[in-house]
Amino acid sequence: AQKITQTQPGMFVQEKEAVTLDCTYDTSDPSYGLFWYKQPSSGEMIFLIYQGSYDQQNATEGRYSLNFQKARKSANLVISASQLGDSAMYFCAMRETSTGNQFYFGTGTSLTVIP
Amino acid sequence: EADIYQTPRYLVIGTGKKITLECSQTMGHDKMYWYQQDPGMELHLIHYSYGVNSTEKGDLSSESTVSRIRTEHFPLTLESARPSHTSQYLCASSEWVDNEQFFGPGTRLTVL
C-alpha cells in the first residue's frame, strides 16, 4: 500500500489566490512526521514545512500552512496569495519511526500559477 | 540555507562505464541519503548512512554502491552504467533522523 498519496497530478491557480494541495498518508505508528517539499524545474528539493504527529496546532511558515487532520490521515498544504514563482512540483513526505525513520514521498503535484 | 553539493550536475555517459556521483555537505550532519527520481515521479531511497563507516540499502533495489569514510562526503558509484540507470540522483542530509532533510541540486544522469 502507498504510504503517501497525492491525488492531484496537476493544479492551476490564479496569481494571488490560495490553493490547497492534497496529501493523505498511511501509517499505524503513533509517532511520525509529515513534510512538504517544493521542486522547481531546476531539480533541487526545497523544504517548506513540517508537522509532527503530536503537534496540536497546524504548522505555518509564511504563506505556507499545513492543514493537519489526524483522524482522516490528511496533511494538505495550503499556499496563500500564490505567486508566479510558486509554479513547481510539490511533494508530500512522511517519516515513519517503525521503518527506521525513513522518508516516503508521494508522486507529487505539479502547480502552475497563472498570471 | 543548506550547504550540500553534488557534482556533476549533468552527466552523459556510455554503457559499461564506471561513474561516481559526488555528494558533500558542510553542515556536519551525520545522516546522509541518496534518492533516485525519474522525471515527474516520486523519490525512492536507494542508500543511506547514519554516520562514518555506516551504510544501508534503501527500499529501492539499486546496483550502485556507496561509502562513508568522512562525515561530509557520501559518494555513490555505479561500476558499470546501463541505460536503465538513466535518472536523477538526489543527495540529502539531516541533523537527526526525524529532522527535515536538506537536498543537494541533484545529478541528472543519462546512460546511452
Side-chain angles (χ1 to χ4, degrees):
Chain A
Q2 289 278 57
K3 289 191 180 289
I4 293 286
T5 301
Q6 293 180 255
T7 57
Q8 305 156 314
M11 290 281 286
F12 292 86
V13 64
Q14 204 75 39
E15 195 178 6
K16 299 180 186 177
E17 297 291 313
V19 63
T20 298
L21 306 184
D22 295 341
C23 172
T24 57
Y25 58 92
D26 181 26
T27 182
S28 55
D29 280 16
S31 175
Y32 51 90
L34 298 158
F35 303 79
W36 277 92
Y37 285 84
K38 173 184 178 181
Q39 188 178 42
S41 57
S42 51
E44 74 272 29
M45 294 282 282
I46 302 167
F47 166 71
L48 295 178
I49 197 167
Y50 164 77
Q51 179 85 41
S53 58
Y54 292 122
D55 293 343
Q56 296 293 320
Q57 293 193 327
N58 288 344
T60 60
E61 286 287 347
R63 294 187 299 111
Y64 304 108
S65 60
L66 200 151
N67 184 2
F68 181 45
Q69 298 190 41
K70 197 169 183 177
R72 295 185 178 183
K73 294 189 175 179
S74 75
N76 298 340
L77 177 70
V78 180
I79 305 174
S80 62
S82 297
Q83 301 172 356
L84 295 179
D86 293 336
S87 294
M89 282 289 287
Y90 288 81
F91 290 92
C92 180
M94 177 178 68
R95 171 194 53 77
E96 195 179 40
T97 307
S98 65
T99 54
N101 286 300
Q102 288 191 28
F103 273 53
Y104 297 93
F105 287 83
T107 52
T109 295
S110 175
L111 177 66
T112 302
V113 180
I114 304 166
Chain B
E1 188 172 312
D3 294 312
I4 180 163
Y5 309 98
Q6 290 184 246
T7 57
R9 290 293 313 277
Y10 302 92
L11 179 62
V12 180
I13 202 163
T15 297
K17 300 290 186 184
K18 177 179 178 179
I19 57 171
T20 296
L21 308 184
E22 301 288 348
C23 175
S24 59
Q25 47 95 6
T26 57
M27 297 171 283
H29 288 169
D30 283 331
K31 320 301 186 263
M32 295 190 75
Y33 313 83
W34 274 104
Y35 292 89
Q36 185 174 341
Q37 183 189 27
D38 291 330
M41 302 295 288
E42 68 266 45
L43 282 71
H44 291 286
L45 181 68
I46 50 175
H47 296 282
Y48 62 99
S49 168
Y50 285 169
V52 171
N53 294 325
S54 152
T55 61
E56 300 287 344
K57 287 187 179 291
D59 285 344
L60 184 67
S61 174
S62 173
E63 294 162 342
S64 58
T65 58
V66 292
S67 62
R68 190 87 184 277
I69 299 171
R70 302 197 317 264
T71 297
E72 62 271 21
H73 195 213
F74 191 39
L76 181 145
T77 298
L78 278 165
E79 290 293 332
S80 179
R82 293 209 298 270
S84 60
H85 296 138
T86 294
S87 191
Q88 171 160 255
Y89 293 84
L90 289 159
C91 180
S93 74
S94 64
E95 185 174 6
W96 307 103
V97 291
D98 55 352
N99 276 66
E100 67 269 24
Q101 296 182 3
F102 294 98
F103 283 80
T107 294
R108 293 185 196 242
L109 173 66
T110 302
V111 184
L112 303 174

